[in-house]
Amino acid sequence: MKFDTPATTNPIDQLKIIGHATSRIDGPLKTTGKATYAYEWHDVGSRPAYGYIVGSAIAKGRIASIDLSRAKAAPGVMAIVTAENAGKLGKGNYNTAKLLGGPEIDHYHQAVAVVVAETFEQARAAAQLVQVSYSAAKGSFDLAAGRDGAAKPPGRGDNQPDTNVGDFPGAFAAAPVQLDATYTTPDQAHAMMEPHASMAAWDGDKLTLWTSNQMIAWTTGDVAKTLGLPKENVRLISPFIGGGFGGKLFLRSDAVLAALGARAANRPVKVAMQRPLMFNNTTHRPATIQRIRIGANRDGKITAIGHESWSGNLPEGRPETAVQQTRLLYAGENRMTALRLAMLDLPEGNAMRAPGEAPGMMALEIAMDEMAERLNLDPVEFRARNDTQVDPEHPGRPFSRRQLVACMKTGAERFGWSARNAEPGKRREGRWLVGMGMAAAFRNNLLMKSGARVRLDRSGTVTVETDMTDIGTGSYTIIAQTAAEMMGLPLEKVVVRLGDSSFPVSAGSGGQFGANNSTSGVYAACVKLREAVAQKLGFNSADVAFSDGQVSSGNRSVPLGQAASDSELIAEDSIEYGDLAKTHQQSTFGAHFVELGVDVATAEIRVRRMLAVCAAGRVLNPKTARSQVIGAMTMGVGAALMEELAVDKRTGFFVNHDLAGYEVPVHADIPHQDTIFLDETDPMSSPMKAKGIGELGLCGVAAALANAIYNATGIRVRDYPITLDKLLHRMPDA
Amino acid sequence: MRSFTYEKAHSPAAAASAAVRTSNAKFIAGGTNLLDLMKLEIETPSHLIDVNGLGFDKIEPTPEGGLRIGALVRNTALAADERVRRDYGLLSRALLAGASGQLRNKATTAGNLLQRTRCPYFYDTNQPCNKRSPGSGCAAIGGITRQHAVIGASDACIATHPSDMAIAMRALDATVQTARPDGTTRNIPIADLHRLPGNTPHLETTLGAGELITSVTLPKPLGGTHVYRKVRDRASYAFALVSVGAIVQRDGTGRVAVGGIAHKPWRVEAAEAEMPRGAKAVAARLLDGAKPTRDNSFKLALVERTLAAVLTEAKG
Ligand SMILES: Cc1cc2nc3c(=O)[nH]c(=O)nc-3n(C[C@H](O)[C@H](O)[C@H](O)COP(=O)(O)OP(=O)(O)OC[C@H]3O[C@@H](n4cnc5c(N)ncnc54)[C@H](O)[C@@H]3O)c2cc1C
Ligand code: SF4
């Protein structure tokens, strides 16, 4: 189905099932431990052996030699795979560094061997006996030091490293009110609960991988490319994923090493990446240095806005596109953005939830707060004065729907924003300095082709098959809701099967594009199935209604299952998009409000309450949508207050490489969260009229906290995370 | 993890002698620290002696009016004990500030005292670490040291002792009872149990080979107001950046021990004489000779400010 004109009324608009708060249909499987995560396929893959990964002890250099003799002689060891004996390996389209390193080493904890043994414990013990000697080389590990030498990265499509509109330098210089400030965000880890894990089994030259992956088709292709197999010979199965946040968008070493280990040992092999390797072996959100300049007239109208961002990556890696939102969020006739990329020998930087906007909004939304203060304007009002209903770089291009101002005003009202004292450091409650802060939320809406197959059986049950994934987000549920709405069935009559490369290729889970696109693909397939049903039952397809398990037209009504009485009816289609994303800018909007306390003695920061107001198209399921947003808000608290991969700049690795050292919020950090979704449908986005939500909830949260900390204390911190040591020396006497 | 043999000990003497009979043996209590370290091959015992069956799980009054806490009393049980809550509130609070409910259910009194540092370089066997592998060097010095010691450290090691409970024990002047392989027992004042790193950071306590902790005894209650304040980056489930345990009497005198700043619970009795004069004076004595790193110099101000808050809180 080609979607190239705005959606009109369609069966989804009935909203009998779509739009209702529905618990996750996969919930019981998870709470009873029956969901098969990658490491938990106990009934398939006969007697798997276990692989344990050996990570490089240096960040850059070469392996001088590897002595496997002691490890090979250890009890239970069946095979040890290294780059030397693995055979020729290709490199996938989506990973920068090789997934099995050697002799060259590209980063710390890059896999250099996998030890396969009869039991996990034997593999782990033998892995310690692998003797690798390295010759280390000097590397670059310090973004600040690499900033001056950073280069202009190649552009990709609409994402060009430099943008310029009007005369930014002139307008900025002439602006009566100016801000020129630099902000930093640290390297961050996805730190999901389930580590990368895979089980591989070979049948001749055909490979099956049970794995934990967000993008089945990308990864199937990269497995084939890496191992030199035809794509048809690779099957990926990934129905349940214990969190990904972008860390599982790509093929990673667990899958490659499980496949190589299984081939070498001639047995199915399981590999779960050890937690201490999770931080340096895999990808992370790269650190940024961001310089923001804003010039405005005294009436609060922005005349010049400029945003430059520096990040680092391995050779051939990409920059963090932290300036993305600044091209679209606020008006201003003179504008510039620039991305620069430094070569660093740290582990590979890549996508993490809301890549680009998450760190970009961390900086931009502090800058807006600082500017509002200079203008003596309320932060909500300042942003509202610079709202734009058109793409400010291309004023002929309107936003499809943009309710930023409504989000902010609704939020301000509901949160009690008017009680905020604009003068910082003035509200004291016992040992706490209390402050409020807000920030806008912004994240683009991405359109991706997405396919599905639907089957109707004679009992009237519809089964949906698509390689879409559910990373804990609720994909199973909203897809079931879509099919149920389209086919006029209760939810229980829909079965959803996901995460299998033998199913039609979907958008996958990433970039908050999963929900809108995958359900639109299911919509397209259901439209086809409805036609097939109508035809089979002898209806004129134009005027049939599907409801309550019946197909009816005029006064004739037939049970849906009857269309499949002699054989299953199968329909397959995908959604493909025309030019609506070119003619209209599609983005999602919101506003975050935070109240927190800062301990006057210790400068410990504790959140009191949070509110997010979102306008992001149709809300398919208010329960899973809320869940996404409060999860994202929690992640934003982590980004603001504690998350930081600490770089040892001498030897080039993230030192805090476990979950004790890399802190994320715990329950006690999150006392109260509220979410509001503004009523919205976006007919430009898809037949579902929905947009993304999963990442929007993160964009801006950290800045709202930073602004609240400033409001509480009068101390402006521009370097994340905002830990107490950055406040302490400027705190008032207790 | 290396393979190891295992036995369950049936008496303290048997446990202690088993520990010297087999080379490279270790006691295991709750296992919440030891097993993690074994998985990473930071600890590589070839023999484990399980001391859980020794019956050291009681809390009993002593003739002197104190409490004798069995070495295997779980952190949860100790924190919840009515006498502890009433008379040694500092101990109860310090325990509850540590780890998580699940861990405290397993963790024991002796195991807690003997838990090892959380220096991240100690945990990474690729990195030099004098504590893990004597003579290899210290990767932390010159590296990431926000969590590390500011006082009492050496050129060989700047790690801290991470226990919350031990801070309370130190302020309360607990004593540690042990059984030795030769059948003798002894009492070790808590102040003498942990060592400073010096040139031998791998030697963390004054316990001899095979010496088993059997109990920890608290002297009779001190009265006063008990406050434990743990400062950290998140609200729970994190080790202290700095923690302050204090017992403050009505007249302003009292005791203070500080965690998160040294290789052992940090208490300077001479500094306590300054208590009536306030936090600044106490902190100055307590931290005399401190040598922070660039990453952790904030701890000096943090100790003083936290102590001030604690003293204010104690005044009520
Ligand atoms: C995720 C996590 C978070 C934590 N957070 C905190 C925290 O915030 N604050 C805090 O204080 N602690 C914290 N801890 C540490 C925890 O308190 C310790 O792991 C626990 O107290 C150790 O007790 P155990 O009985 O399990 O010791 P084990 O692991 O069994 O033993 C520890 C050591 O003591 C020795 N040992 C045990 N019993 C005896 C005995 N009777 N005689 C002689 N030697 C003995 C063992 O040989 C071993 O060397 C945390 C731990 C984890 C895993
Ligand atoms: S500070 Fe101590 S524990 Fe940490 S690396 Fe140095 S020697 Fe090892």
Side-chain angles (χ1 to χ4, degrees), chain A residues 355-368:
Chain A
E357 281 98 324
M361 291 292 279
M362 287 167 79
L364 177 64
E365 290 299 290
I366 299 184
M368 289 298 284

Side-chain angles (χ1 to χ4, degrees), chain B residues 77-114:
Chain B
L78 184 57
D81 185 89
E82 208 185 297
R83 294 158 293 185
V84 173
R85 290 174 53 190
R86 186 185 58 226
D87 298 330
Y88 307 95
L90 180 61
L91 178 57
S92 186
R93 287 180 192 130
L95 281 161
L96 293 175
S100 67
Q102 293 92 328
L103 285 158
R104 293 193 298 267
N105 288 342
K106 275 307 259 182
T108 64
T109 308
N112 192 315
L113 285 176
L114 300 182

Side-chain angles (χ1 to χ4, degrees), chain A residues 150-309:
Chain A
K152 191 196 277 201
R156 287 202 304 150
D158 189 38
N159 264 330
Q160 291 306 315
D162 289 332
T163 64
N164 284 289
V165 174
D167 169 21
F168 172 79
F172 180 71
V177 183
Q178 296 175 341
L179 171 83
D180 180 349
T182 298
Y183 305 84
T184 63
T185 64
D187 296 286
Q188 292 178 339
H190 305 87
M192 59 283 193
M193 192 77 94
E194 181 202 31
H196 295 278
S198 296
M199 176 166 74
W202 291 88
D203 178 6
D205 59 356
K206 291 202 160 67
L207 171 68
T208 305
L209 270 168
W210 291 264
T211 189
S212 182
N213 192 281
Q214 301 174 225
M215 298 297 287
I216 301 301
W218 290 4
T219 302
T220 307
D222 271 1
V223 171
K225 206 166 165 209
T226 305
L227 300 177
L229 299 170
K231 211 167 153 176
E232 312 76 69
N233 286 12
V234 179
R235 169 111 182 261
L236 242 68
I237 300 176
S238 177
F240 296 104
I241 297 157
F245 306 119
K248 293 174 180 164
L249 290 167
F250 319 113
L251 174 65
R252 297 303 313 167
S253 59
D254 59 307
V256 173
L257 297 177
L260 293 172
R263 188 151 70 188
N266 209 9
R267 274 265 289 278
V269 167
K270 280 181 168 188
V271 176
M273 188 170 293
Q274 307 90 269
R275 184 68 66 184
L277 288 192
M278 283 289 293
F279 298 78
N280 286 283
N281 177 286
T282 68
T283 61
H284 66 280
R285 189 199 301 285
T288 64
I289 300 171
Q290 302 179 46
R291 180 186 186 199
I292 296 180
R293 282 173 290 171
I294 304 177
N297 288 331
R298 298 212 184 277
D299 65 0
K301 285 264 195 248
I302 294 175
T303 53
I305 183 162
H307 192 162
E308 296 151 86
S309 172

Side-chain angles (χ1 to χ4, degrees), chain A residues 553-574:
Chain A
S553 174
N555 47 20
R556 181 172 164 229
S557 183
V558 184
L560 179 65
Q562 203 165 303
S565 54
D566 25 294
S567 69
E568 204 183 27
L569 273 190
I570 304 175
E572 182 174 331
D573 201 1
S574 52

Side-chain angles (χ1 to χ4, degrees), chain B residues 117 119 121-122 128-132 137-141 148 156-159 201:
Chain B
T117 186
C119 168
Y121 297 95
F122 173 73
C129 168
N130 289 324
K131 185 183 278 301
R132 175 168 28 77
C138 169
I141 294 174
H148 288 74
C157 177
I158 56 169

Side-chain angles (χ1 to χ4, degrees), chain A residues 432 595-597 604-608 669, chain B residues 232-235:
Chain A
W432 299 100
E595 182 179 86
L596 50 72
E604 285 167 291
I605 302 155
R606 299 289 181 256
V607 173
R608 295 183 156 197
D669 292 303
Chain B
R232 44 189 158 174
D233 289 321
R234 64 181 173 191

